[in-house]
Amino acid sequence: MKKKLTLLSSALIISLTSTAINAKDALQFKDIFNFKSTKSTQLSEDGSILSLSATPYRGNATGQVYSLSSNSLISEVERGTKPVINKAANWVAFTQVPTLLEKETNKKKDTLKNNVVLVNTLSGEQQSFADVKDYKLSDDGAWLAYRLNKAADKEDDEKEKSESTGDIKDESAISPDKKDKTYSLVIINLADKRSHTIENVFSYDISATNDQLLVSQSYSDGNNNQIALINLNNFQSTTLIDEPGVVASKIAWHPTNTSVAFTVGNYVNDDTRRRNYSLQLWKNELLSTISSPNKDWTIGKTATLTWSENGERLYFENHPKLAAKVKAKEYTDEASLYDFDTIREHKGLNVWHNNDAQIKPREEQQWDEVNKTRHYSAVYHVNSQKAVQLSTTNMPEVALNSERDVSLLGSSNIPYLEKIMYGGFFADYFAVNINTGKQTAIINDYPFRPSLAPNGEFAAYFSNSQIQLKDLKNNQVTPLTKAIQATFADDKHDYPSTQPGYGFAGWMQDSSQVLAYSKYDIWAFDVQTKQATRLTDGKQSNTQYRVVKLDKDQIGFKKADTLLLSAINLQTKQSEVAKLDLTTNTITKVLSGQKRFELVKKAKNADKYVFTSQTYSQFPDFYHTDFSFSAPKKVTTLNPQINDFAWGEKPELISYKGFDGEDLQGVLIKPAGYKKGDKVPVVVYFYRYMSQRMFDFPKMELNHRPNFPMFTSNGYAIFLPDIRFEIGHPGKSSTQTMINATQKLIDLGIADPNKIGLQGHSWAGYQSAFMITQTDMFKAVVSGAPVSNMTSAYSGIRLKSGLARQFQYETGQSRIGKNLFEAPELYIENSPVFFADKVNTPILIMFGDKDDAVPWHEGVQYYLALRRAGKDATFLQYEGEPHHLKKFPNQVDFSVRMMQYFDHHLKGKPAAKWITEGEAFIEE
């Protein structure tokens, strides 16, 4: 009796324990819809206000405004997106979009209008303005200007009416470009609610001094077009340019005074590509033209304008004047119908020639960027009134940083356009003097981006397994790392291409030192003595230190600076935030723990930092602190419902060997309520390196990958292994690595060997498709967008970029290392389609039939080969979808089918009808 009582008590305890575990719900697909992510996070310049849009995976966003002074939520805005905080931080403006229901049910999308909602950061009160096309909020928060998103000119209606009734068009009318719409501009004084309306406004902007507004007004016949200044105190107008057809396309106010630059064109010339625009500067009550440095160049309609922060330089864009447009021959009379030249004018043809630098799809893809709207960078020096050309036709790219005042990094890939098709990306690099435009060569035919000193006299780059320093004054190159016992070449590089280094942290502001990375540490190299100083001690603790840059325009470091660093232990994957004092080279860790920390923002003018902290079960909410990091405060709690679900166990690292004996790791997430000794179904998701996700919160969405908590909440373990490859044999090497990794789970008694599934997409889709030709370890595979035949894919085209796929096999991700003619046997060896008869594993293949990375017929080939061999293969063709599913219904559908597929093959659940019978085609 006592024994039975003991057994009964044990059963009761087990039952109660199970009940406690099951008290939390298993995730369902509908639960994913409610999880929010943060978008458009903004921190005010004074560090007092944080704003964001909390956006559920499916549903309406909520705009949020937080006071960091009181650490409280000030206000929430229904459907609030794209927050903007003005400089004074007294207002946050949100674009309020229509409801999801309106978007999904309204077939005429152009009838949906946005509103603007202003939140007063002191009171939390909201003001709403309906039907807003766009808006500008003054820096001091005194003024709001917005265009009403509805017809602004009755003349437009009259024009449409006359055209519909067949009235003769007025040939003297100057018509605006088709996409150039004008609207009524409403100007509101936010203090006293006074308002003023200006009709027919095409472009506008408020001055940095908050007392003026520049407007460009345009009318349907062009006769009354003008560009004018509006005094916001009394709404008096000063006309700057008044001529038929005139229009200002871009406006840029000086950052500190009443000067304003704008580009001016005229609709008189109806050829938009060849219309000449001029750059105008209104300064000291005078209007002047800033001419392009090259008299044969002009400014385009879409050219951008950017002031340096101190207003000493105005960066603008220009381009060579285009030749006159040749008018195509048209059919005009009976004879023209039989004229060969006229007939051939109407041909549809692309000529592919062997001497072309690029294949035609690449030319077509690059047309807008390179031919149609390509602009080149120039700068106008305000004090010297001198314009300097920075990028040119022979060196078209400049890495523009408006705060660099001596030199910029320029590049040109023009000599390598053909080489890129099979060899990867290369360019010539230059130092470009901002004051003279002089180009000084740094390195040619180079696959990586060099680092240029602020003074433009030195450059550093990685070559021949060493960091090289080039003195641009005398072209002398010195290897800096030759005598240092540290790893400066990326030891994870397993591609058949040049091995890269670990990169650069930056330069000292005086250009005396360059800071570079080894595998673990940050090093400072003196440009004069070439002496090296190790600034961190990462190698001893297996920690990788990297500088965190929160100001993208920062120009170098000062000797008295204390830098923020990320510190990641490469063994445990634990991340920390540390500080490096450059005066003493001492390191202080300020954020640490079994989490992942990420520094997000720094207030521009205040000692205020925002960061996130996350784990697999902790959403990366925002925290704020000062530079001491001594007392961080949590700001947001966006997904408290996490606690309602059986999420899964704490992730752990699993160690195993790669194909060549290398030590590798994978992240294992056991199912919720896992008990030691249980053998559970496992879904393996992979790509290349995955163990760095040890402390990542999973993406709460449905797409081409498994939703991890959905699986761990419903009885599955998720395993994310690292994969390594052998050049020439990527298929077999990744297969052996995967077998080793998965076998480790079996040996540990965690994985049920009869219940292991595999899922991968793109490159991992290929690997998973290949692996089942070599092993029967997996009981079901879901393969997204796989290449199945490298012999056919080799000479295919990546539709998104227009590039030939050859580079991907010879030097890129597919890692063959030779062309098809040199080693056809390697292309066959690594192609699963040739071994379809060896497959014994059920496979579900997914492709979008508009895939712009992998030709979708690669999936068709594999499916047909498997079908012919009598194998269990199902193919999901998602219509109109690219490489990753974009349409919400398709994302949901594939996620449901993936779960159903694994549930059937790994858990033995009854098969959904489509798994056993498919689905018949139905014409809608």
Side-chain angles (χ1 to χ4, degrees):
M1 186 71 178
K2 185 176 181 181
K3 185 175 182 181
K4 289 183 179 179
L5 181 62
T6 303
L7 290 173
L8 181 62
S9 300
S10 299
L12 182 60
I13 291 171
I14 293 171
S15 175
L16 290 174
T17 303
S18 177
T19 302
I21 292 171
N22 293 332
K24 291 190 175 183
D25 296 332
L27 273 169
Q28 304 300 318
F29 284 105
K30 61 180 175 58
D31 298 320
I32 306 298
F33 296 173
N34 299 322
F35 277 86
K36 299 180 179 68
S37 61
T38 57
K39 293 186 178 181
S40 306
T41 303
Q42 302 293 319
L43 178 63
S44 63
E45 292 189 1
D46 67 359
S48 65
I49 299 296
L50 179 74
S51 64
L52 55 92
S53 180
T55 307
Y57 177 59
R58 177 69 165 177
N60 296 309
T62 301
Q64 296 185 338
V65 181
Y66 294 88
S67 167
L68 300 189
S69 302
S70 61
N71 202 50
S72 61
L73 178 65
I74 298 173
S75 188
E76 290 190 305
V77 177
E78 292 183 3
R79 308 189 310 283
T81 67
K82 302 177 182 177
V84 173
I85 309 174
N86 68 316
K87 284 184 179 291
N90 49 1
W91 295 103
V92 180
F94 287 92
T95 300
Q96 187 180 57
V97 298
T99 66
L100 177 62
L101 180 62
E102 290 174 315
K103 293 176 183 177
E104 294 286 12
T105 57
N106 194 317
K107 295 182 179 180
K108 296 182 178 180
K109 303 299 182 185
D110 57 350
T111 63
L112 297 176
K113 308 292 178 64
N114 294 334
N115 303 327
V116 163
V117 177
L118 296 185
V119 176
N120 186 305
T121 59
L122 294 178
S123 66
E125 294 179 359
Q126 299 182 10
Q127 297 183 43
S128 184
F129 306 88
D131 299 338
V132 174
K133 174 68 177 176
D134 46 41
Y135 70 93
K136 301 287 183 179
L137 188 61
S138 67
D139 290 346
D140 65 356
W143 300 96
L144 172 70
Y146 66 92
R147 294 195 298 170
L148 277 170
N149 192 7
K150 47 187 166 183
D153 187 358
K154 291 183 179 179
E155 295 178 44
D156 291 330
D157 297 331
E158 293 298 324
K159 178 183 177 184
E160 292 179 8
K161 182 178 179 181
S162 65
E163 289 178 351
S164 65
T165 56
D167 293 348
I168 298 175
K169 179 182 177 181
D170 182 4
E171 295 296 334
S172 66
I174 304 170
S175 299
D177 298 341
K178 282 185 178 181
K179 294 184 179 180
D180 289 357
K181 305 296 183 183
T182 63
Y183 305 87
S184 298
L185 178 70
V186 181
I187 309 168
I188 297 178
N189 185 309
L190 294 173
D192 59 21
K193 304 300 186 291
R194 285 187 300 123
S195 67
H196 182 71
T197 302
I198 304 173
E199 302 296 341
N200 302 92
V201 173
F202 171 66
S203 61
Y204 64 102
D205 199 9
I206 301 175
S207 69
T209 55
N210 308 298
D211 58 354
Q212 293 184 91
L213 181 143
L214 186 73
V215 296
S216 174
Q217 291 175 274
S218 177
Y219 297 83
S220 58
D221 63 0
N223 289 329
N224 297 315
N225 286 18
Q226 68 170 355
I227 299 168
L229 274 176
I230 309 297
N231 186 313
L232 292 177
N233 295 312
N234 54 25
F235 299 122
Q236 290 186 354
S237 175
T238 301
T239 301
L240 303 186
I241 303 177
D242 180 8
E243 62 182 46
V246 72
V247 65
S249 60
K250 292 290 188 296
I251 302 170
W253 283 93
H254 190 280
T256 60
N257 63 39
T258 57
S259 301
V260 61
F262 53 98
T263 53
V264 176
N266 198 299
Y267 291 133
V268 170
N269 178 2
D270 60 5
D271 185 348
T272 57
R273 287 191 62 215
R274 291 163 183 80
R275 182 183 300 142
N276 292 331
Y277 280 73
S278 65
L279 176 57
Q280 302 292 319
L281 178 64
W282 174 257
K283 180 182 179 183
N284 298 328
E285 306 297 317
L286 294 174
L287 187 65
S288 59
T289 300
I290 298 175
S291 300
S292 288
N294 190 324
K295 65 179 181 180
D296 295 326
W297 287 34
T298 187
I299 293 173
K301 180 178 182 178
T302 59
T304 60
L305 302 176
T306 305
W307 288 96
S308 62
E309 192 166 327
N310 60 15
E312 293 180 356
R313 296 178 300 280
L314 173 65
Y315 292 89
F316 63 98
E317 293 179 323
N318 56 7
H319 64 78
K321 293 179 180 178
L322 300 176
K325 184 177 181 179
V326 178
K327 191 173 182 180
K329 294 181 179 180
E330 299 291 344
Y331 299 120
T332 56
D333 53 27
E334 188 71 17
S336 67
L337 295 174
Y338 304 95
D339 178 72
F340 268 76
D341 289 339
T342 304
I343 293 170
R344 294 183 68 192
E345 285 280 350
H346 296 267
K347 66 184 178 296
L349 173 69
N350 278 324
V351 177
W352 298 43
H353 196 279
N354 190 52
N355 290 334
D356 291 339
Q358 301 183 104
I359 61 174
K360 279 298 175 285
R362 178 65 171 175
E363 276 192 87
E364 182 178 349
Q365 189 274 340
Q366 294 276 285
W367 174 255
D368 277 353
E369 181 181 338
V370 176
N371 300 90
K372 186 177 180 181
T373 58
R374 162 159 272 180
H375 296 294
Y376 299 85
S377 296
V379 61
Y380 176 71
H381 296 273
V382 176
N383 295 334
S384 64
Q385 300 182 11
K386 179 184 178 182
V388 176
Q389 192 67 42
L390 299 176
S391 61
T392 60
T393 53
N394 72 306
M395 191 210 68
E397 300 296 334
V398 165
L400 185 63
N401 183 326
S402 62
E403 301 314 300
R404 291 185 72 115
D405 56 7
V406 178
S407 62
L408 299 170
L409 183 66
S411 63
S412 174
N413 67 356
I414 294 174
Y416 313 107
L417 293 178
E418 181 180 0
K419 183 178 179 180
I420 287 170
M421 294 291 157
Y422 57 86
F425 296 90
F426 298 85
D428 297 335
Y429 288 90
F430 305 85
V432 183
N433 188 288
I434 292 174
N435 299 299
T436 65
K438 180 182 177 182
Q439 301 173 8
T440 301
I442 297 174
I443 188 170
N444 295 332
D445 198 3
Y446 187 62
F448 313 118
R449 179 170 168 164
S451 183
L452 179 65
N455 66 6
E457 296 181 1
F458 299 92
Y461 53 87
F462 190 83
S463 179
N464 298 321
S465 299
Q466 304 294 333
I467 293 176
Q468 312 284 345
L469 177 71
K470 184 171 185 177
D471 188 330
L472 300 182
K473 302 186 298 297
N474 56 26
N475 287 328
Q476 183 177 350
V477 178
T478 306
L480 296 177
T481 53
K482 197 170 185 179
I484 299 176
Q485 297 300 310
T487 304
F488 288 93
D490 183 356
D491 63 356
K492 286 188 174 182
H493 184 76
D494 56 359
Y495 295 87
S497 60
T498 305
Q499 189 176 27
Y502 283 99
F504 299 93
W507 292 75
M508 302 304 291
Q509 279 188 0
D510 61 4
S511 301
S512 61
Q513 293 180 322
V514 58
L515 274 57
Y517 297 132
S518 66
K519 178 176 181 177
Y520 299 100
D521 291 308
I522 304 169
W523 296 75
F525 296 93
D526 189 287
V527 300
Q528 299 300 333
T529 67
K530 313 301 187 293
Q531 293 297 307
T533 304
R534 191 177 66 165
L535 305 181
T536 57
D537 58 354
K539 188 174 182 179
Q540 286 81 348
S541 59
N542 202 20
T543 300
Q544 186 177 75
Y545 287 101
R546 296 295 184 256
V547 175
V548 178
K549 299 177 185 176
L550 296 176
D551 180 1
K552 63 182 179 62
D553 293 326
Q554 179 182 354
I555 309 300
F557 313 115
K558 298 176 183 177
K559 293 182 179 179
D561 280 350
T562 297
L563 307 183
L564 287 171
L565 309 180
S566 69
I568 300 176
N569 186 292
L570 298 184
Q571 180 64 31
T572 66
K573 313 305 177 185
Q574 181 176 344
S575 76
E576 299 174 313
V577 174
K579 293 193 289 190
L580 170 62
D581 186 335
L582 290 179
T583 59
T584 62
N585 291 345
T586 56
I587 296 174
T588 306
K589 293 183 178 179
V590 294
L591 292 175
S592 61
Q594 295 291 312
K595 298 179 179 182
R596 176 184 166 191
F597 298 96
E598 184 175 355
L599 295 172
V600 179
K601 289 184 179 295
K602 179 198 178 298
K604 183 175 182 179
N605 301 320
D607 180 19
K608 183 68 68 177
Y609 295 81
V610 172
F611 69 91
T612 61
S613 170
Q614 64 179 297
T615 67
Y616 176 70
S617 57
Q618 177 186 323
F619 179 79
D621 279 300
F622 290 113
Y623 296 74
H624 71 96
T625 182
D626 58 19
F627 193 64
S628 72
F629 285 83
S630 59
K633 294 180 180 179
K634 187 178 181 182
V635 185
T636 63
T637 305
L638 293 185
N639 290 297
Q641 73 272 31
I642 291 173
N643 296 322
D644 298 335
F645 297 104
W647 201 254
E649 300 302 302
K650 182 180 178 180
E652 54 189 278
L653 287 169
I654 303 297
S655 297
Y656 54 92
K657 299 291 185 180
F659 74 93
D660 57 356
E662 180 184 3
D663 291 326
L664 295 175
Q665 294 175 302
V667 177
L668 173 66
I669 312 165
K670 296 173 183 173
Y674 178 82
K675 296 186 291 294
K676 187 175 180 179
D678 283 354
K679 293 183 178 181
V680 297
V682 178
V683 171
V684 181
Y685 174 75
F686 70 111
Y687 192 84
R688 190 189 176 210
Y689 287 102
M690 305 293 284
S691 60
Q692 70 274 13
R693 301 189 184 193
M694 174 68 177
F695 295 102
D696 285 8
F697 183 79
K699 289 185 178 295
M700 293 308 292
E701 55 190 28
L702 305 174
N703 51 22
H704 59 278
R705 65 173 70 87
N707 180 283
F708 300 161
M710 174 67 73
F711 280 82
T712 59
S713 182
N714 285 278
Y716 289 92
I718 288 285
F719 186 43
L720 314 173
D722 290 341
I723 298 294
R724 283 280 280 181
F725 305 91
E726 180 183 5
I727 293 172
H729 308 281
K732 289 183 177 179
S733 57
S734 65
T735 298
Q736 187 59 58
T737 301
M738 181 62 78
I739 289 173
N740 295 351
T742 309
Q743 186 62 47
K744 187 60 178 285
L745 296 187
I746 297 173
D747 295 343
L748 290 171
I750 297 168
D752 185 326
N754 295 311
K755 297 179 180 180
I756 301 175
L758 192 62
Q759 202 278 336
H761 187 86
S762 191
W763 175 235
Y766 155 72
Q767 292 176 71
S768 58
F770 182 87
M771 287 173 183
I772 59 174
T773 70
Q774 308 293 305
T775 179
D776 295 339
M777 173 176 276
F778 304 102
K779 302 311 170 185
V781 167
V782 178
S783 174
V787 163
S788 64
N789 184 349
M790 289 193 177
T791 67
S792 60
Y794 172 79
S795 289
I797 296 169
R798 295 180 67 92
L799 296 179
K800 185 175 182 179
S801 64
L803 290 170
R805 293 179 54 82
Q806 293 162 339
F807 78 90
Q808 185 160 334
Y809 298 89
E810 296 186 32
T811 60
Q813 185 181 61
S814 297
R815 296 174 171 85
I816 300 300
K818 295 181 179 180
N819 67 42
L820 180 61
F821 326 114
E822 293 173 317
E825 71 282 359
L826 293 181
Y827 285 80
I828 293 172
E829 172 196 312
N830 289 283
S831 298
V833 72
F834 291 104
F835 310 102
D837 62 321
K838 308 298 184 186
V839 173
N840 296 313
T841 305
I843 182 171
L844 178 66
I845 305 168
M846 185 274 283
F847 250 108
D849 59 16
K850 298 297 181 184
D851 194 310
D852 47 13
V854 179
W856 80 282
H857 282 93
E858 286 292 312
V860 175
Q861 284 191 56
Y862 198 33
Y863 165 75
L864 290 177
L866 291 165
R867 177 187 173 101
R868 180 65 181 86
K871 305 301 180 179
D872 186 348
T874 306
F875 187 82
L876 303 180
Q877 172 196 348
Y878 284 98
E879 296 177 331
E881 288 282 22
H883 192 54
H884 298 112
L885 299 176
K886 299 297 183 184
K887 300 173 184 176
F888 181 77
N890 292 339
Q891 293 174 335
V892 174
D893 180 80
F894 177 61
S895 295
V896 170
R897 290 179 191 270
M898 188 195 315
M899 178 69 86
Q900 290 174 337
Y901 199 74
F902 283 133
D903 277 352
H904 172 61
H905 289 289
L906 305 187
K907 285 187 171 183
K909 288 187 177 183
K913 187 176 180 180
W914 66 270
I915 295 176
T916 56
E917 300 180 21
E919 292 180 359
F921 173 77
I922 299 175
E923 177 125 31
E924 298 293 344

